[in-house]
Short mmCIF file of all heavy atoms in Angstrom, two decimals:
data_model
loop_
_atom_site.label_atom_id
_atom_site.label_comp_id
_atom_site.label_asym_id
_atom_site.label_seq_id
_atom_site.Cartn_x
_atom_site.Cartn_y
_atom_site.Cartn_z
N MET A 1 -41.55 91.47 20.81
CA MET A 1 -42.02 91.30 19.39
C MET A 1 -43.43 90.82 19.43
O MET A 1 -43.79 89.97 20.35
CB MET A 1 -41.04 90.28 18.70
CG MET A 1 -41.57 89.98 17.25
SD MET A 1 -40.65 88.64 16.42
CE MET A 1 -39.02 88.69 16.93
N LYS A 2 -44.21 91.10 18.50
CA LYS A 2 -45.57 90.56 18.30
C LYS A 2 -45.80 90.16 16.88
O LYS A 2 -45.26 90.78 15.92
CB LYS A 2 -46.60 91.58 18.77
CG LYS A 2 -46.63 92.91 18.03
CD LYS A 2 -47.68 93.78 18.67
CE LYS A 2 -47.59 95.18 18.04
NZ LYS A 2 -48.31 96.16 18.65
N GLN A 3 -46.47 89.15 16.72
CA GLN A 3 -46.78 88.58 15.41
C GLN A 3 -48.30 88.10 15.39
O GLN A 3 -48.77 87.75 16.46
CB GLN A 3 -45.88 87.38 15.05
CG GLN A 3 -44.42 87.79 15.04
CD GLN A 3 -43.52 86.68 14.63
OE1 GLN A 3 -43.78 86.09 13.61
NE2 GLN A 3 -42.58 86.36 15.47
N TRP A 4 -48.95 88.03 14.26
CA TRP A 4 -50.28 87.60 14.17
C TRP A 4 -50.46 86.90 12.81
O TRP A 4 -49.66 87.07 11.87
CB TRP A 4 -51.29 88.73 14.36
CG TRP A 4 -51.10 89.82 13.41
CD1 TRP A 4 -51.62 90.08 12.17
CD2 TRP A 4 -50.17 90.93 13.63
NE1 TRP A 4 -51.28 91.23 11.59
CE2 TRP A 4 -50.32 91.71 12.50
CE3 TRP A 4 -49.31 91.40 14.64
CZ2 TRP A 4 -49.66 92.96 12.31
CZ3 TRP A 4 -48.68 92.58 14.43
CH2 TRP A 4 -48.83 93.41 13.30
N GLY A 5 -51.57 86.15 12.79
CA GLY A 5 -51.76 85.44 11.46
C GLY A 5 -53.10 84.74 11.48
O GLY A 5 -53.81 84.77 12.48
N LYS A 6 -53.35 84.10 10.36
CA LYS A 6 -54.67 83.31 10.22
C LYS A 6 -54.42 82.10 9.33
O LYS A 6 -53.50 82.11 8.41
CB LYS A 6 -55.56 84.33 9.43
CG LYS A 6 -56.91 83.69 9.13
CD LYS A 6 -57.79 84.70 8.33
CE LYS A 6 -59.03 84.03 7.82
NZ LYS A 6 -59.91 84.95 7.04
N SER A 7 -55.09 81.12 9.61
CA SER A 7 -55.06 79.91 8.87
C SER A 7 -56.46 79.50 8.44
O SER A 7 -57.43 79.61 9.17
CB SER A 7 -54.44 78.74 9.66
OG SER A 7 -54.49 77.55 8.99
N THR A 8 -56.53 79.03 7.24
CA THR A 8 -57.82 78.51 6.78
C THR A 8 -57.91 77.05 6.88
O THR A 8 -58.87 76.38 6.47
CB THR A 8 -58.15 78.95 5.33
OG1 THR A 8 -57.11 78.48 4.47
CG2 THR A 8 -58.35 80.46 5.27
N SER A 9 -56.80 76.41 7.40
CA SER A 9 -56.80 74.87 7.52
C SER A 9 -57.76 74.47 8.66
O SER A 9 -57.87 75.21 9.62
CB SER A 9 -55.36 74.40 7.93
OG SER A 9 -54.44 74.75 6.92
N THR A 10 -58.42 73.39 8.47
CA THR A 10 -59.38 72.85 9.56
C THR A 10 -58.78 71.39 9.81
O THR A 10 -58.13 70.80 9.01
CB THR A 10 -60.74 72.76 9.13
OG1 THR A 10 -60.82 72.07 7.88
CG2 THR A 10 -61.24 74.20 8.82
N GLY A 11 -59.14 70.87 10.97
CA GLY A 11 -58.85 69.53 11.41
C GLY A 11 -58.54 69.54 12.81
O GLY A 11 -58.68 70.58 13.52
N GLU A 12 -58.19 68.39 13.35
CA GLU A 12 -58.07 68.29 14.76
C GLU A 12 -56.97 69.11 15.27
O GLU A 12 -56.97 69.72 16.35
CB GLU A 12 -57.82 66.84 15.15
CG GLU A 12 -57.76 66.61 16.62
CD GLU A 12 -57.86 65.20 17.03
OE1 GLU A 12 -57.84 64.28 16.12
OE2 GLU A 12 -57.89 64.89 18.20
N TYR A 13 -55.77 69.10 14.56
CA TYR A 13 -54.60 69.88 14.97
C TYR A 13 -54.14 70.74 13.78
O TYR A 13 -53.88 70.15 12.70
CB TYR A 13 -53.42 68.95 15.41
CG TYR A 13 -53.87 68.12 16.61
CD1 TYR A 13 -54.03 66.70 16.44
CD2 TYR A 13 -53.97 68.54 17.90
CE1 TYR A 13 -54.42 65.94 17.50
CE2 TYR A 13 -54.45 67.83 18.94
CZ TYR A 13 -54.62 66.45 18.69
OH TYR A 13 -54.96 65.66 19.79
N VAL A 14 -53.99 72.04 14.02
CA VAL A 14 -53.47 72.91 12.97
C VAL A 14 -52.19 73.67 13.44
O VAL A 14 -52.20 74.27 14.49
CB VAL A 14 -54.54 73.99 12.59
CG1 VAL A 14 -54.00 74.99 11.65
CG2 VAL A 14 -55.84 73.27 12.10
N THR A 15 -51.15 73.52 12.61
CA THR A 15 -49.89 74.12 13.04
C THR A 15 -49.80 75.47 12.39
O THR A 15 -50.00 75.70 11.20
CB THR A 15 -48.73 73.25 12.52
OG1 THR A 15 -48.71 71.97 13.14
CG2 THR A 15 -47.35 73.97 12.83
N HIS A 16 -49.54 76.48 13.28
CA HIS A 16 -49.26 77.93 12.82
C HIS A 16 -47.80 78.11 12.90
O HIS A 16 -47.28 78.01 14.07
CB HIS A 16 -50.05 78.87 13.67
CG HIS A 16 -51.48 78.92 13.54
ND1 HIS A 16 -52.12 79.72 12.63
CD2 HIS A 16 -52.47 78.25 14.14
CE1 HIS A 16 -53.42 79.54 12.71
NE2 HIS A 16 -53.67 78.61 13.63
N THR A 17 -47.06 78.35 11.88
CA THR A 17 -45.72 78.71 11.94
C THR A 17 -45.52 80.20 11.88
O THR A 17 -46.12 80.95 11.14
CB THR A 17 -44.93 78.08 10.64
OG1 THR A 17 -45.16 76.69 10.67
CG2 THR A 17 -43.46 78.43 10.67
N PHE A 18 -44.75 80.74 12.84
CA PHE A 18 -44.51 82.20 12.98
C PHE A 18 -43.62 82.68 11.83
O PHE A 18 -42.75 81.99 11.45
CB PHE A 18 -43.93 82.51 14.26
CG PHE A 18 -44.57 82.04 15.53
CD1 PHE A 18 -44.07 81.22 16.50
CD2 PHE A 18 -45.95 82.47 15.74
CE1 PHE A 18 -44.71 80.82 17.59
CE2 PHE A 18 -46.64 82.05 16.87
CZ PHE A 18 -46.11 81.21 17.83
N PRO A 19 -43.95 83.84 11.21
CA PRO A 19 -43.19 84.34 10.20
C PRO A 19 -41.66 84.60 10.58
O PRO A 19 -40.82 84.32 9.76
CB PRO A 19 -43.89 85.73 9.77
CG PRO A 19 -45.28 85.59 10.41
CD PRO A 19 -45.18 84.67 11.54
N ILE A 20 -41.53 85.02 11.75
CA ILE A 20 -40.11 85.18 12.32
C ILE A 20 -40.04 84.39 13.58
O ILE A 20 -40.90 84.57 14.50
CB ILE A 20 -39.89 86.73 12.61
CG1 ILE A 20 -40.03 87.56 11.33
CG2 ILE A 20 -38.47 86.93 13.20
CD1 ILE A 20 -40.15 89.07 11.54
N LYS A 21 -39.00 83.61 13.73
CA LYS A 21 -38.78 82.82 14.93
C LYS A 21 -38.53 83.71 16.14
O LYS A 21 -37.80 84.68 16.09
CB LYS A 21 -37.55 81.95 14.71
CG LYS A 21 -37.36 81.02 15.81
CD LYS A 21 -36.16 80.05 15.48
CE LYS A 21 -35.71 79.16 16.52
NZ LYS A 21 -34.61 78.17 16.13
N PHE A 22 -39.26 83.45 17.16
CA PHE A 22 -39.04 84.09 18.53
C PHE A 22 -37.70 83.64 19.20
O PHE A 22 -37.25 82.57 18.77
CB PHE A 22 -40.24 83.89 19.50
CG PHE A 22 -41.46 84.62 19.10
CD1 PHE A 22 -42.44 83.98 18.47
CD2 PHE A 22 -41.65 85.95 19.46
CE1 PHE A 22 -43.68 84.63 18.08
CE2 PHE A 22 -42.89 86.57 19.25
CZ PHE A 22 -43.90 85.95 18.52
N THR A 23 -37.25 84.47 20.07
CA THR A 23 -36.02 84.02 20.87
C THR A 23 -36.42 83.36 22.17
O THR A 23 -35.58 82.69 22.81
CB THR A 23 -35.06 85.26 21.21
OG1 THR A 23 -35.90 86.25 21.80
CG2 THR A 23 -34.53 85.89 19.83
N VAL A 24 -37.69 83.55 22.62
CA VAL A 24 -38.21 82.91 23.76
C VAL A 24 -39.57 82.42 23.45
O VAL A 24 -40.18 82.92 22.43
CB VAL A 24 -38.27 83.80 25.13
CG1 VAL A 24 -36.87 84.26 25.42
CG2 VAL A 24 -39.16 84.98 24.73
N ILE A 25 -40.11 81.53 24.15
CA ILE A 25 -41.51 81.00 23.92
C ILE A 25 -42.52 82.15 24.15
O ILE A 25 -42.47 82.72 25.27
CB ILE A 25 -41.80 79.73 24.74
CG1 ILE A 25 -40.91 78.63 24.30
CG2 ILE A 25 -43.29 79.35 24.59
CD1 ILE A 25 -41.01 77.40 25.14
N PRO A 26 -43.32 82.45 23.16
CA PRO A 26 -44.24 83.51 23.30
C PRO A 26 -45.59 83.16 23.99
O PRO A 26 -45.85 82.03 24.25
CB PRO A 26 -44.58 83.85 21.80
CG PRO A 26 -44.46 82.54 21.09
CD PRO A 26 -43.30 81.80 21.88
N ILE A 27 -46.28 84.14 24.35
CA ILE A 27 -47.66 84.00 24.86
C ILE A 27 -48.50 83.98 23.56
O ILE A 27 -48.41 84.92 22.73
CB ILE A 27 -48.14 85.15 25.71
CG1 ILE A 27 -47.25 85.10 27.04
CG2 ILE A 27 -49.58 85.05 26.06
CD1 ILE A 27 -47.40 86.28 27.95
N VAL A 28 -49.42 83.02 23.46
CA VAL A 28 -50.23 82.96 22.28
C VAL A 28 -51.77 82.99 22.59
O VAL A 28 -52.12 82.33 23.57
CB VAL A 28 -49.89 81.66 21.44
CG1 VAL A 28 -50.89 81.47 20.23
CG2 VAL A 28 -48.49 81.56 21.07
N VAL A 29 -52.47 83.77 21.89
CA VAL A 29 -53.92 83.75 22.03
C VAL A 29 -54.42 83.52 20.60
O VAL A 29 -54.18 84.17 19.60
CB VAL A 29 -54.42 85.17 22.46
CG1 VAL A 29 -55.97 85.25 22.54
CG2 VAL A 29 -53.79 85.62 23.87
N ALA A 30 -55.28 82.42 20.55
CA ALA A 30 -55.84 82.02 19.31
C ALA A 30 -57.26 81.75 19.37
O ALA A 30 -57.78 81.36 20.64
CB ALA A 30 -55.06 80.75 18.78
N GLY A 31 -57.99 81.75 18.27
CA GLY A 31 -59.44 81.52 18.29
C GLY A 31 -59.80 80.85 17.08
O GLY A 31 -59.20 81.06 15.97
N ALA A 32 -60.86 80.04 17.12
CA ALA A 32 -61.36 79.32 15.94
C ALA A 32 -62.33 80.28 15.23
O ALA A 32 -63.11 81.01 15.83
CB ALA A 32 -62.13 78.08 16.38
N LEU A 33 -62.32 80.22 13.90
CA LEU A 33 -63.13 81.01 13.05
C LEU A 33 -64.33 80.11 12.64
O LEU A 33 -64.02 78.89 12.37
CB LEU A 33 -62.39 81.54 11.85
CG LEU A 33 -61.22 82.46 12.11
CD1 LEU A 33 -60.51 82.75 10.85
CD2 LEU A 33 -61.64 83.68 12.85
N THR A 34 -65.43 80.55 12.34
CA THR A 34 -66.58 79.76 11.91
C THR A 34 -67.10 80.22 10.57
O THR A 34 -67.01 81.44 10.33
CB THR A 34 -67.72 79.62 12.91
OG1 THR A 34 -68.17 80.97 13.18
CG2 THR A 34 -67.26 79.10 14.22
N SER A 35 -67.60 79.34 9.84
CA SER A 35 -68.17 79.69 8.50
C SER A 35 -69.65 79.78 8.65
O SER A 35 -70.33 80.13 7.70
CB SER A 35 -67.78 78.71 7.49
OG SER A 35 -68.30 77.43 7.84
N ASN A 36 -70.29 79.41 9.80
CA ASN A 36 -71.75 79.46 10.02
C ASN A 36 -72.47 78.67 9.02
O ASN A 36 -73.70 78.85 8.79
CB ASN A 36 -72.21 80.91 10.03
CG ASN A 36 -72.12 81.59 11.42
OD1 ASN A 36 -71.92 80.85 12.33
ND2 ASN A 36 -72.10 82.89 11.40
N THR A 37 -71.90 77.64 8.48
CA THR A 37 -72.63 76.75 7.54
C THR A 37 -73.58 75.85 8.31
O THR A 37 -74.55 75.42 7.60
CB THR A 37 -71.64 75.85 6.74
OG1 THR A 37 -70.90 75.11 7.70
CG2 THR A 37 -70.69 76.66 5.85
N SER A 38 -73.42 75.69 9.58
CA SER A 38 -74.36 74.87 10.35
C SER A 38 -75.32 75.75 11.20
O SER A 38 -76.05 75.29 12.01
CB SER A 38 -73.59 73.96 11.27
OG SER A 38 -72.79 73.14 10.47
N GLY A 39 -75.29 77.08 10.89
CA GLY A 39 -76.11 77.94 11.60
C GLY A 39 -75.62 78.31 13.03
O GLY A 39 -76.26 78.88 13.86
N ASN A 40 -74.36 77.92 13.32
CA ASN A 40 -73.83 78.21 14.59
C ASN A 40 -73.17 79.53 14.70
O ASN A 40 -72.79 80.10 13.62
CB ASN A 40 -72.80 77.11 14.95
CG ASN A 40 -71.54 77.15 14.07
OD1 ASN A 40 -71.67 77.24 12.90
ND2 ASN A 40 -70.47 76.91 14.61
N THR A 41 -73.01 80.15 15.86
CA THR A 41 -72.25 81.41 15.98
C THR A 41 -70.93 81.27 16.66
O THR A 41 -70.29 82.27 16.89
CB THR A 41 -73.11 82.30 16.79
OG1 THR A 41 -73.45 81.73 18.05
CG2 THR A 41 -74.46 82.77 16.08
N GLY A 42 -70.54 80.03 16.91
CA GLY A 42 -69.32 79.84 17.51
C GLY A 42 -68.96 78.36 17.67
O GLY A 42 -69.81 77.48 17.36
N SER A 43 -67.90 78.02 18.21
CA SER A 43 -67.51 76.65 18.39
C SER A 43 -68.32 75.87 19.33
O SER A 43 -68.79 76.39 20.35
CB SER A 43 -65.97 76.60 18.87
OG SER A 43 -65.67 75.27 19.19
N GLN A 44 -68.51 74.60 19.10
CA GLN A 44 -69.21 73.77 20.02
C GLN A 44 -68.25 72.78 20.74
O GLN A 44 -68.69 71.91 21.33
CB GLN A 44 -70.30 72.92 19.23
CG GLN A 44 -71.39 73.76 18.64
CD GLN A 44 -72.10 74.79 19.61
OE1 GLN A 44 -72.62 74.21 20.64
NE2 GLN A 44 -72.28 75.93 19.35
N SER A 45 -66.98 73.00 20.53
CA SER A 45 -66.07 72.19 21.23
C SER A 45 -65.04 73.10 21.97
O SER A 45 -65.29 74.28 22.12
CB SER A 45 -65.21 71.36 20.19
OG SER A 45 -64.38 72.07 19.42
N ASN A 46 -64.06 72.50 22.56
CA ASN A 46 -63.16 73.32 23.37
C ASN A 46 -61.75 73.47 22.67
O ASN A 46 -60.96 72.55 22.81
CB ASN A 46 -62.92 72.61 24.74
CG ASN A 46 -64.13 72.58 25.52
OD1 ASN A 46 -64.88 73.67 25.67
ND2 ASN A 46 -64.54 71.45 26.05
N PRO A 47 -61.50 74.54 21.99
CA PRO A 47 -60.21 74.77 21.33
C PRO A 47 -59.09 74.68 22.42
O PRO A 47 -59.28 75.05 23.64
CB PRO A 47 -60.34 76.12 20.79
CG PRO A 47 -61.76 76.38 20.55
CD PRO A 47 -62.38 75.70 21.67
N CYS A 48 -57.84 74.28 22.03
CA CYS A 48 -56.80 74.17 22.96
C CYS A 48 -55.44 74.28 22.27
O CYS A 48 -55.41 74.41 21.01
CB CYS A 48 -56.82 72.83 23.75
SG CYS A 48 -56.47 71.41 22.67
N TYR A 49 -54.37 74.39 23.08
CA TYR A 49 -52.93 74.42 22.43
C TYR A 49 -52.43 73.07 22.73
O TYR A 49 -52.33 72.65 23.93
CB TYR A 49 -52.23 75.59 23.05
CG TYR A 49 -52.85 76.91 22.96
CD1 TYR A 49 -53.53 77.41 24.07
CD2 TYR A 49 -52.77 77.60 21.77
CE1 TYR A 49 -54.26 78.62 23.95
CE2 TYR A 49 -53.31 78.90 21.72
CZ TYR A 49 -54.01 79.45 22.74
OH TYR A 49 -54.63 80.63 22.62
N ARG A 50 -51.97 72.43 21.66
CA ARG A 50 -51.20 71.23 21.91
C ARG A 50 -49.71 71.42 22.21
O ARG A 50 -49.17 70.71 23.00
CB ARG A 50 -51.28 70.33 20.62
CG ARG A 50 -50.79 68.89 20.82
CD ARG A 50 -51.06 68.07 19.60
NE ARG A 50 -50.70 66.73 19.91
CZ ARG A 50 -50.78 65.67 19.04
NH1 ARG A 50 -51.03 66.03 17.72
NH2 ARG A 50 -50.37 64.53 19.35
N SER A 51 -49.15 72.40 21.66
CA SER A 51 -47.74 72.79 21.92
C SER A 51 -47.47 74.13 21.40
O SER A 51 -48.15 74.73 20.47
CB SER A 51 -46.77 71.83 21.23
OG SER A 51 -46.84 71.99 19.84
N ILE A 52 -46.58 74.80 22.07
CA ILE A 52 -46.09 76.16 21.68
C ILE A 52 -44.48 76.19 21.80
O ILE A 52 -43.97 75.79 22.78
CB ILE A 52 -46.57 77.30 22.58
CG1 ILE A 52 -48.12 77.22 22.58
CG2 ILE A 52 -46.06 78.63 22.10
CD1 ILE A 52 -48.75 78.25 23.65
N THR A 53 -43.81 76.52 20.60
CA THR A 53 -42.44 76.68 20.61
C THR A 53 -41.99 78.02 20.12
O THR A 53 -42.90 78.90 19.78
CB THR A 53 -41.82 75.56 19.74
OG1 THR A 53 -42.12 75.88 18.32
CG2 THR A 53 -42.27 74.22 20.00
N VAL A 54 -40.73 78.37 19.95
CA VAL A 54 -40.27 79.62 19.45
C VAL A 54 -40.57 79.79 17.97
O VAL A 54 -40.57 80.90 17.45
CB VAL A 54 -38.75 79.79 19.71
CG1 VAL A 54 -38.49 79.93 21.22
CG2 VAL A 54 -37.93 78.74 18.96
N SER A 55 -40.80 78.65 17.21
CA SER A 55 -41.09 78.76 15.84
C SER A 55 -42.54 78.49 15.39
O SER A 55 -42.88 78.93 14.23
CB SER A 55 -40.09 77.88 15.02
OG SER A 55 -40.26 76.52 15.49
N ASP A 56 -43.33 77.83 16.19
CA ASP A 56 -44.65 77.58 15.82
C ASP A 56 -45.54 77.08 17.11
O ASP A 56 -44.97 77.05 18.08
CB ASP A 56 -44.81 76.44 14.76
CG ASP A 56 -44.22 75.05 15.15
OD1 ASP A 56 -44.13 74.88 16.37
OD2 ASP A 56 -43.87 74.28 14.37
N PHE A 57 -46.77 76.92 16.80
CA PHE A 57 -47.62 76.36 17.82
C PHE A 57 -48.76 75.49 17.13
O PHE A 57 -49.05 75.68 15.96
CB PHE A 57 -48.28 77.38 18.71
CG PHE A 57 -49.47 78.23 18.04
CD1 PHE A 57 -50.68 77.86 18.31
CD2 PHE A 57 -49.13 79.38 17.34
CE1 PHE A 57 -51.75 78.59 17.65
CE2 PHE A 57 -50.18 80.03 16.76
CZ PHE A 57 -51.48 79.80 16.92
N VAL A 58 -49.26 74.59 17.83
CA VAL A 58 -50.27 73.63 17.34
C VAL A 58 -51.59 73.93 18.07
O VAL A 58 -51.64 73.94 19.40
CB VAL A 58 -49.85 72.16 17.52
CG1 VAL A 58 -51.03 71.28 16.94
CG2 VAL A 58 -48.53 71.88 16.79
N PHE A 59 -52.58 74.28 17.38
CA PHE A 59 -53.90 74.63 17.91
C PHE A 59 -54.85 73.53 17.61
O PHE A 59 -54.89 73.04 16.47
CB PHE A 59 -54.31 76.01 17.13
CG PHE A 59 -55.58 76.57 17.74
CD1 PHE A 59 -55.63 76.96 19.14
CD2 PHE A 59 -56.73 76.82 17.01
CE1 PHE A 59 -56.84 77.52 19.67
CE2 PHE A 59 -57.84 77.48 17.55
CZ PHE A 59 -57.91 77.79 18.80
N CYS A 60 -55.50 73.04 18.70
CA CYS A 60 -56.57 72.04 18.53
C CYS A 60 -57.91 72.61 18.41
O CYS A 60 -58.29 73.49 19.10
CB CYS A 60 -56.61 71.28 19.87
SG CYS A 60 -54.99 70.81 20.62
N MET A 61 -58.61 72.21 17.29
CA MET A 61 -59.93 72.77 17.04
C MET A 61 -60.79 71.73 16.33
O MET A 61 -61.36 72.02 15.34
CB MET A 61 -59.85 74.13 16.34
CG MET A 61 -59.08 74.07 15.07
SD MET A 61 -59.24 75.66 14.23
CE MET A 61 -59.18 75.13 12.57
N TYR A 62 -60.81 70.63 16.75
CA TYR A 62 -61.48 69.50 16.00
C TYR A 62 -63.04 69.62 16.17
O TYR A 62 -63.61 69.48 17.33
CB TYR A 62 -61.01 68.08 16.41
CG TYR A 62 -61.80 67.03 15.64
CD1 TYR A 62 -61.40 66.77 14.24
CD2 TYR A 62 -62.72 66.27 16.19
CE1 TYR A 62 -61.98 65.89 13.54
CE2 TYR A 62 -63.41 65.24 15.41
CZ TYR A 62 -63.05 65.09 14.13
OH TYR A 62 -63.58 64.18 13.48
N ASP A 63 -63.71 69.95 15.19
CA ASP A 63 -65.20 70.06 15.23
C ASP A 63 -65.70 70.48 13.85
O ASP A 63 -66.43 71.42 13.69
CB ASP A 63 -65.67 71.17 16.30
CG ASP A 63 -67.06 70.94 16.67
OD1 ASP A 63 -67.75 70.02 16.10
OD2 ASP A 63 -67.56 71.60 17.63
N ASN A 64 -65.12 69.85 12.81
CA ASN A 64 -65.45 70.38 11.49
C ASN A 64 -66.95 70.35 11.15
O ASN A 64 -67.32 71.14 10.29
CB ASN A 64 -64.71 69.39 10.42
CG ASN A 64 -63.15 69.71 10.49
OD1 ASN A 64 -62.78 70.72 10.88
ND2 ASN A 64 -62.43 68.78 10.03
N ALA A 65 -67.61 69.40 11.66
CA ALA A 65 -69.02 69.37 11.42
C ALA A 65 -69.87 70.59 11.80
O ALA A 65 -70.95 70.86 11.38
CB ALA A 65 -69.70 68.16 12.09
N ARG A 66 -69.28 71.41 12.65
CA ARG A 66 -69.88 72.69 13.18
C ARG A 66 -69.50 73.91 12.36
O ARG A 66 -69.79 74.96 12.76
CB ARG A 66 -69.66 72.76 14.64
CG ARG A 66 -70.03 71.59 15.41
CD ARG A 66 -70.88 71.92 16.65
NE ARG A 66 -71.06 70.77 17.40
CZ ARG A 66 -72.24 70.13 17.46
NH1 ARG A 66 -73.25 70.66 16.77
NH2 ARG A 66 -72.38 69.06 18.18
N GLY A 67 -68.68 73.76 11.35
CA GLY A 67 -68.55 74.89 10.45
C GLY A 67 -67.22 75.60 10.80
O GLY A 67 -67.13 76.85 10.48
N TYR A 68 -66.16 75.05 11.19
CA TYR A 68 -64.93 75.69 11.35
C TYR A 68 -64.43 76.18 10.02
O TYR A 68 -64.51 75.51 8.99
CB TYR A 68 -63.79 74.75 11.98
CG TYR A 68 -63.80 74.71 13.47
CD1 TYR A 68 -63.19 73.70 14.13
CD2 TYR A 68 -64.42 75.77 14.25
CE1 TYR A 68 -63.20 73.63 15.52
CE2 TYR A 68 -64.34 75.79 15.60
CZ TYR A 68 -63.76 74.70 16.19
OH TYR A 68 -63.68 74.62 17.58
N ALA A 69 -63.86 77.42 9.95
CA ALA A 69 -63.27 77.93 8.86
C ALA A 69 -61.88 78.30 8.94
O ALA A 69 -61.30 78.88 8.08
CB ALA A 69 -64.05 79.18 8.40
N GLY A 70 -61.17 77.86 10.05
CA GLY A 70 -59.79 78.08 10.28
C GLY A 70 -59.61 78.71 11.62
O GLY A 70 -60.47 78.54 12.53
N SER A 71 -58.48 79.45 11.83
CA SER A 71 -58.20 80.04 13.11
C SER A 71 -57.32 81.29 12.95
O SER A 71 -56.67 81.44 11.93
CB SER A 71 -57.56 78.97 14.09
OG SER A 71 -56.38 78.46 13.41
N THR A 72 -57.38 82.09 14.01
CA THR A 72 -56.43 83.27 13.83
C THR A 72 -55.74 83.44 15.22
O THR A 72 -56.14 82.82 16.22
CB THR A 72 -57.39 84.56 13.60
OG1 THR A 72 -56.56 85.71 13.48
CG2 THR A 72 -58.40 84.77 14.78
N TYR A 73 -54.66 84.13 15.22
CA TYR A 73 -53.85 84.18 16.47
C TYR A 73 -53.03 85.53 16.50
O TYR A 73 -52.83 86.20 15.59
CB TYR A 73 -52.84 83.10 16.59
CG TYR A 73 -51.63 83.21 15.61
CD1 TYR A 73 -50.56 83.86 15.98
CD2 TYR A 73 -51.79 82.71 14.35
CE1 TYR A 73 -49.45 84.02 15.17
CE2 TYR A 73 -50.70 82.90 13.45
CZ TYR A 73 -49.49 83.48 13.86
OH TYR A 73 -48.45 83.64 13.12
N ILE A 74 -52.61 85.84 17.74
CA ILE A 74 -51.61 86.84 17.99
C ILE A 74 -50.62 86.18 19.05
O ILE A 74 -50.97 85.51 19.94
CB ILE A 74 -52.14 88.14 18.58
CG1 ILE A 74 -51.07 89.21 18.75
CG2 ILE A 74 -52.90 88.01 19.87
CD1 ILE A 74 -51.51 90.63 18.94
N ALA A 75 -49.29 86.48 18.86
CA ALA A 75 -48.30 85.91 19.69
C ALA A 75 -47.33 87.04 20.12
O ALA A 75 -46.99 87.90 19.33
CB ALA A 75 -47.46 84.87 18.97
N ILE A 76 -47.09 87.14 21.39
CA ILE A 76 -46.21 88.22 21.98
C ILE A 76 -45.11 87.64 22.81
O ILE A 76 -45.34 86.77 23.71
CB ILE A 76 -47.11 89.18 22.75
CG1 ILE A 76 -48.23 89.70 21.95
CG2 ILE A 76 -46.30 90.31 23.42
CD1 ILE A 76 -49.31 90.45 22.79
N ALA A 77 -43.93 88.12 22.64
CA ALA A 77 -42.80 87.85 23.50
C ALA A 77 -41.86 89.03 23.54
O ALA A 77 -41.70 89.85 22.61
CB ALA A 77 -42.01 86.63 22.88
N TYR A 78 -41.17 89.15 24.69
CA TYR A 78 -40.17 90.26 24.84
C TYR A 78 -38.83 89.63 25.35
O TYR A 78 -38.76 88.66 26.01
CB TYR A 78 -40.62 91.34 25.89
CG TYR A 78 -41.75 92.08 25.26
CD1 TYR A 78 -43.09 91.71 25.60
CD2 TYR A 78 -41.52 93.16 24.43
CE1 TYR A 78 -44.20 92.49 25.05
CE2 TYR A 78 -42.64 93.82 23.94
CZ TYR A 78 -43.90 93.51 24.19
OH TYR A 78 -45.00 94.24 23.74
#
């Protein structure tokens, strides 16, 4: 199964809830989106994963002063 999504929430930790609960912990690839309000073309910090479960994951992306506009992801499990 694969699922994807986007969040416009910003902050140190952003929880993405999967639309359909996985039966095993998925592989998640996520990235921070930028609004370029500070003239940047990407993040100036190190995004990370705080936790990944079958129903959600928490993405770390604290750097609001640099123009974060949210995050996007894809999750895959079989």
Side-chain angles (χ1 to χ4, degrees):
M1 175 189 327
K2 60 186 171 186
Q3 300 183 53
W4 56 90
K6 176 182 174 182
S7 172
T8 55
S9 297
T10 59
E12 187 169 2
Y13 301 109
V14 174
T15 300
H16 289 267
T17 302
F18 301 124
I20 301 169
K21 185 177 176 180
F22 285 97
T23 56
V24 296
I25 294 176
I27 296 170
V28 177
V29 177
L33 304 173
T34 59
S35 62
N36 276 341
T37 57
S38 302
N40 63 319
T41 57
S43 169
Q44 300 298 314
S45 69
N46 296 312
C48 67
Y49 304 96
R50 186 171 189 193
S51 66
I52 302 172
T53 70
V54 295
S55 58
D56 64 19
F57 73 97
V58 179
F59 188 58
C60 318
M61 55 175 211
Y62 183 72
D63 200 356
N64 290 338
R66 304 227 187 255
Y68 273 161
S71 54
T72 187
Y73 75 89
I74 184 167
I76 302 170
Y78 290 99

